[in-house]
Amino acid sequence: MSETPANPKIPVLEMRGVTVVSLKNPDVIVAEGVNWTVKAGEFWVVGSPQHSGKTDFLMAVGGLSSPASGGYDFLGERMPIFEESRMAHRLKLGFVFDGGQLLGQLTVSENIALPLRYHGHLSVDEIELRVRSLLEITELVPWANSTPANVGRSWRQRVGLARALALQPEVLLLDSPLTGLDGRHTAWWLGFLDQLSRGHGIVGGKPVTLVVTADDLRPWRRYTGRVACLSNRRLIVLGDWRAAEDSKENVVQELLSE
Amino acid sequence: MQEAGSTTFAAPPSRARKRWKLPRFYSDFVGRQVFAFLLALHGVGAFALITLGVLLRNFRVAQPVIRPLIAREIHRAGVQLLPMFFFAAVALGFLVIGQTVSWLTRVEAANNWLGNIMVIVVVREIGPLLTALLVLARVGTANVVELGTARAMGEVEALEALGIDPVHYFVVPRVAGMAVGVFSLTVYLILGTLVSGYLWVFIQEVPLLPGDYFRQLAGALGYMDFALLALKTCAFGFIIAIVTCYHGLAQPLQLNEISRATVRAVGQSTVACILLDALFIILYLAA
């Protein structure tokens, strides 16, 4: 669990000349020459057409795959982190997968409790209390004892969110969180992520730095402050929404007008 | 331009050579099989070393999570299989003693050797190997399917994102559970076979008292039998767990590749167990 506050002068994420390759096929380049800096408290949306490597890119940002070249620092430390000794630093970054990617053998509440039980920071009662509050806040109480196979896809995505929030990360990466959601679920996600970026009680009231990927930028216009686009092996860092709207890049206009 | 299939050097003409030269297709096939075997050996060996490293390094890590998983695996690879092993023990006792009695009754004083035969055949050879193959069929195959599905569904990446070592979470409990399971089931199978063997002796009206039968067994057993039995069965469990976990977990799989991975895992586990058994025969003979 993130105990030490991040130094505000150090960028949260900093990529310099990074080349990202596909996790399943390392011969496929997803993005190259990526220079990108994310500061504490920012809320980024990375837009990209479908099947252009958003998941691979976000997994590289999350330190789940190594960049083929270039340097990538997370809160001042070189990524990726696999060593046990630096794991506490690595756990300041949470990851929500598209579809949740839950452990099929565990129930919803066991999935949420898993990181807390594994890393052993809390007592059994504290874990139970924390899981209960995460279930309530994500409206998952009715499915607490169900296995993921018996829970709808929209709700599985929320379980993934609750599990990622269990360790109170300072930075949260979300892979296409709105994919396949109806209007009600979409509104809930946008509202909840907005609260997280401003500071929510479930993460100790501190603003969480957020990076989401999306194949449609329009729903995010009111909520996120910073925009980037991934297209043709390039990460186009646009900045704010005004810059995005003024951009001459075709892909940006497509993602804004879909 | 060389013709397809021709060699790059001029071979001396020889009738024998022409007669016995294999078509190029066979040599390619054998070469590919040898390379595939070496690659599999390399992969499984590396995976075994990684697992041992994780097992020792994380021995005390996350015990509230790992202990229940080990208990579940012991239940799955041990307790749940007990009814099947009870049946196998009865059948094996009847098989070994039935065949032996029907042949040895023609030989004078052959009854004096029934205990020795049971120890050599059941305790040293068939008991451990049959247990390993049954556990492979019932639990090893399930391992590949479960882990292959977990891999295909992205559970490995999900664990890594949570700072959880997938080998610690998925493989270590299976290795521990299967080693304990194969050892325990072998002991139960041997005990059941020895008892059911005497039942067959009794049914056949062979003049052998229970006391004499069990005295023969005790006389045929040495301390080396107990030590090598424990070592061999734990090694069988370790090998089956490592090979099946390797094929399920170590390579990214699509759902449609899981059946092929299962077949490969069963084949390699069987060969590995038989080779290990052959190694133990040498140890028995040397002892």
Side-chain angles (χ1 to χ4, degrees), chain A residues 23-24 59 64 82 84 87 90-91 93 95 97 100-106 114-115 117-119 163-164 167, chain B residues 58 61-62 64-66 68 72 146 152-155 157-165 168-170 252 254:
Chain A
L23 189 67
K24 285 187 177 156
M59 285 175 99
L64 299 176
F82 296 117
E84 203 65 41
M87 196 47 76
R90 159 75 181 71
L91 292 176
L93 192 151
F95 200 106
F97 292 89
Q101 292 193 198
L102 309 174
L103 298 183
Q105 305 279 330
L106 305 181
L114 180 63
R117 292 177 64 217
Y118 189 89
H119 294 293
R163 186 177 64 181
L167 293 175
Chain B
N58 293 350
V61 173
V65 174
I66 301 301
R72 195 189 74 174
E146 277 177 18
M153 301 302 282
E155 291 183 17
E157 287 80 11
L159 286 176
E160 284 172 348
L162 296 168
I164 298 172
D165 186 340
H168 191 215
Y169 185 83
F170 279 132
Q254 304 289 330

Side-chain angles (χ1 to χ4, degrees), chain B residues 158-240:
Chain B
L159 286 176
E160 284 172 348
L162 296 168
I164 298 172
D165 186 340
V167 173
H168 191 215
Y169 185 83
F170 279 132
V171 184
V172 167
R174 284 175 165 82
V175 168
M178 213 171 266
V180 173
V182 173
F183 170 72
S184 310
L185 287 174
T186 305
V187 171
Y188 290 128
L189 181 74
I190 288 170
L191 291 176
T193 305
L194 296 181
V195 171
S196 74
Y198 185 76
L199 284 178
W200 188 248
V201 167
F202 183 75
I203 292 167
Q204 293 276 75
E205 296 180 345
V206 176
L208 181 65
L209 294 169
D212 293 336
Y213 174 69
F214 286 105
R215 208 169 294 121
Q216 281 180 23
L217 290 175
L221 283 168
Y223 73 94
M224 189 63 93
D225 287 307
F226 294 101
L228 290 183
L229 181 74
L231 198 62
K232 188 199 254 189
T233 50
C234 288
F236 280 162
F238 180 80
I239 284 175
I240 295 168

Side-chain angles (χ1 to χ4, degrees), chain A residues 63-108:
Chain A
L64 299 176
S65 62
S66 304
S69 65
Y72 168 35
D73 292 341
F74 167 64
L75 288 170
E77 285 207 28
R78 182 53 56 101
M79 288 281 262
I81 293 172
F82 296 117
E83 308 91 328
E84 203 65 41
S85 55
R86 294 200 295 152
M87 196 47 76
H89 187 81
R90 159 75 181 71
L91 292 176
K92 292 175 184 173
L93 192 151
F95 200 106
V96 182
F97 292 89
D98 186 5
Q101 292 193 198
L102 309 174
L103 298 183
Q105 305 279 330
L106 305 181
T107 64
V108 164

Side-chain angles (χ1 to χ4, degrees), chain B residues 70-94:
Chain B
I70 292 175
R72 195 189 74 174
E73 291 303 324
I74 291 173
H75 184 258
R76 206 167 69 130
V79 180
Q80 271 188 341
L81 303 186
L82 273 174
M84 187 175 75
F85 273 78
F86 177 73
F87 171 77
V90 171
L92 195 60
F94 281 16

Side-chain angles (χ1 to χ4, degrees), chain B residues 110-134:
Chain B
N111 296 344
N112 298 337
W113 298 99
L114 286 177
N116 290 61
I117 290 167
M118 288 301 271
V119 167
I120 291 168
V121 175
V122 177
V123 177
R124 291 185 183 172
E125 289 307 322
I126 294 182
L129 197 57
L130 182 67
T131 305
L133 295 180
L134 287 175

